Amino acid sequence: MKHADERVREQYVEVAPGVRLWTERRGPADAPALLLVMGAQASGIGWPEPLVDALAEHHHVIRYDHRDTGKSSHSFDEQPYRVTDLAQDVIAVLDGLGVERAHLVGLSLGGMLTQLVLADHPERVLSATLLGTCALSETSYVRPDGTPVPVAELPGIAPEVLELWAHPVEDHGPAAELDRRVEHWRVLGGNQLPFGEAYFRELERRVIEHAGTYAVSTAHGRADDSGMLRTAELARNAVPTLVVSAPAEPVFPPPHPQHLAQVVAGARLVEIPGMGHALPPAVLGPLAEAILGHTAGGRREG
C-alpha cells in the first residue's frame, strides 16, 4: 500500500478570472517537485502512467491539463489567450500548488513553454528537460564542420504529418475519432520502432474518458503565437538543461535537438534510440533514466 503522502491528489488551480486548470500530483509530498508540461491540444493524461510512476519514485510529480484540454476550462472562444499565456500558466500552477521551484519536463509545445519559463522565470526552475521541440532562438545552427545553417533552412515537418494536419477534424462519432487518433500516433511515432496500436488506443481511451468528450479543440492552433523568441535570454541560461534527441522525430527532426542544445547555454544532449514524437513503451525506460539522471544533479526541495 502506498504511503498517505504518495496517493494521487487532484486539484483545480485558477490561472485567470473564471479559468481553472486540473492538476494531479503523485509521489512523496516532500520530494523535489517535477512538473510535466504537455504539447498542444494534449491533456496531462497524455503522459504515460509508467513514466509518471517511475518519476514519482524520486519526485513529487505534477501534471496538468492546459486550457481547452481535458478537465480544465475550455474558454478560448470567450477569453482568447496567447501561447505565451500558456507559459504563464506553468507559473500559476506552481503558485497554486505552493511550489517555489520545480524541475520542468516539456514535450513539443510544452518544450517551448518550458523555454519561455527558463527565459522569463529562471528562479522558479531547478532543471529543464526538453523533448520534441524547437529552439525559440534566431541563432543559426552550426554543423560539426563549422558551417552555419540559418533557422529557416532547418528541416521542416515531415510530409506525412503535414498531410494529416491539412485535413480538418470532422465528427464521425467516437469510434472514428479513436481510429483517427491512433493513426495520428502511428505517423508521429516515426519509423524506427514497431507501432503498438493497442497501447495508443488504450491511451486515447483514457484521454477521452478523462475529458468526458471525444471532441477536439483547435484553440492552441488559433492562439496568437507572436512574441515567443527568447534568443538572448536562452544564451544566458544558467539552469541545468537536458535536450532529448529523438532520431525518428517527424515534427522537429534532427538537427533541431542539436540546434536547441547549442542555443540554450549549458545544455547537454542525450539521444533516446528509436524515439519519434510519441512516447511508446520502448522509450519510457530510457527516457525516465535520462530525466532522473539529469534531475539528480539538482535535487533539492522546491
Side-chain angles (χ1 to χ4, degrees):
M1 179 179 294
K2 290 180 178 290
H3 294 101
D5 65 350
E6 294 181 323
R7 292 177 302 184
V8 174
R9 288 140 287 176
E10 298 182 30
Q11 180 179 333
Y12 285 90
V13 171
E14 187 170 8
V15 298
V19 179
R20 63 179 197 162
L21 304 186
W22 173 88
T23 73
E24 177 204 87
R25 293 176 286 166
R26 71 178 73 180
D30 59 351
L34 186 152
L35 178 64
L36 298 168
V37 188
M38 242 302 163
Q41 314 299 163
S43 78
I45 298 301
W47 292 103
E49 296 295 319
L51 177 64
V52 178
D53 284 338
L55 298 177
E57 290 291 323
H58 301 279
H59 289 287
H60 183 62
V61 177
I62 305 161
R63 60 179 175 175
Y64 71 100
D65 292 343
H66 292 298
R67 304 187 199 195
D68 290 276
T69 73
K71 293 184 177 179
S72 292
S73 297
H74 289 243
S75 57
F76 184 82
D77 291 335
E78 294 75 30
Q79 297 174 261
Y81 48 81
R82 297 158 57 94
V83 173
T84 51
D85 292 328
L86 297 178
Q88 289 301 316
D89 287 351
V90 173
I91 301 300
V93 167
L94 296 179
D95 288 344
L97 299 179
V99 176
E100 181 182 348
R101 292 200 290 176
H103 300 278
L104 301 185
V105 178
L107 172 64
S108 196
L109 175 66
M112 299 178 198
L113 302 182
T114 298
Q115 289 176 70
L116 290 172
V117 175
L118 269 182
D120 300 344
H121 303 281
E123 74 283 355
R124 305 299 298 271
V125 188
L126 290 171
S127 78
T129 301
L130 306 172
L131 319 168
T133 194
C134 64
L136 302 183
S137 172
E138 298 171 302
T139 304
S140 294
Y141 167 62
V142 180
R143 292 193 179 109
D145 65 4
T147 306
V149 181
V151 173
E153 296 180 15
L154 291 175
I157 300 170
E160 57 269 26
V161 176
L162 290 176
E163 171 65 20
L164 271 183
W165 290 355
H167 300 288
V169 177
E170 299 176 347
D171 185 352
H172 296 293
E177 173 58 20
L178 193 55
D179 288 343
R180 185 196 68 81
R181 295 187 187 196
V182 170
E183 180 59 24
H184 190 216
W185 283 122
R186 184 192 305 275
V187 173
L188 289 181
N191 56 10
Q192 295 190 15
L193 293 173
F195 181 68
E197 178 175 335
Y199 168 85
F200 283 103
R201 188 171 295 274
E202 179 56 30
L203 173 66
E204 287 299 334
R205 283 197 185 100
R206 292 200 308 272
V207 168
I208 290 169
E209 180 181 8
H210 170 75
T213 178
Y214 65 87
V216 177
S217 170
T218 60
H220 295 171
R222 291 183 284 140
D224 182 351
D225 63 356
S226 63
M228 292 178 63
L229 286 177
R230 294 293 188 275
T231 302
E233 293 87 347
L234 294 174
R236 296 193 299 265
N237 174 63
V239 175
T241 300
L242 178 69
V243 177
V244 173
S245 176
E249 170 67 61
V251 179
F252 298 111
H256 278 282
Q258 290 74 17
H259 177 231
L260 183 55
Q262 287 179 0
V263 302
V264 179
R268 63 186 185 89
L269 192 70
V270 64
E271 181 174 301
I272 304 295
M275 186 172 174
H277 200 76
L279 299 175
V283 309
L284 300 183
L287 181 58
E289 183 178 358
I291 294 171
L292 291 172
H294 179 56
T295 62
R299 287 187 193 159
R300 52 188 185 275
E301 292 191 23

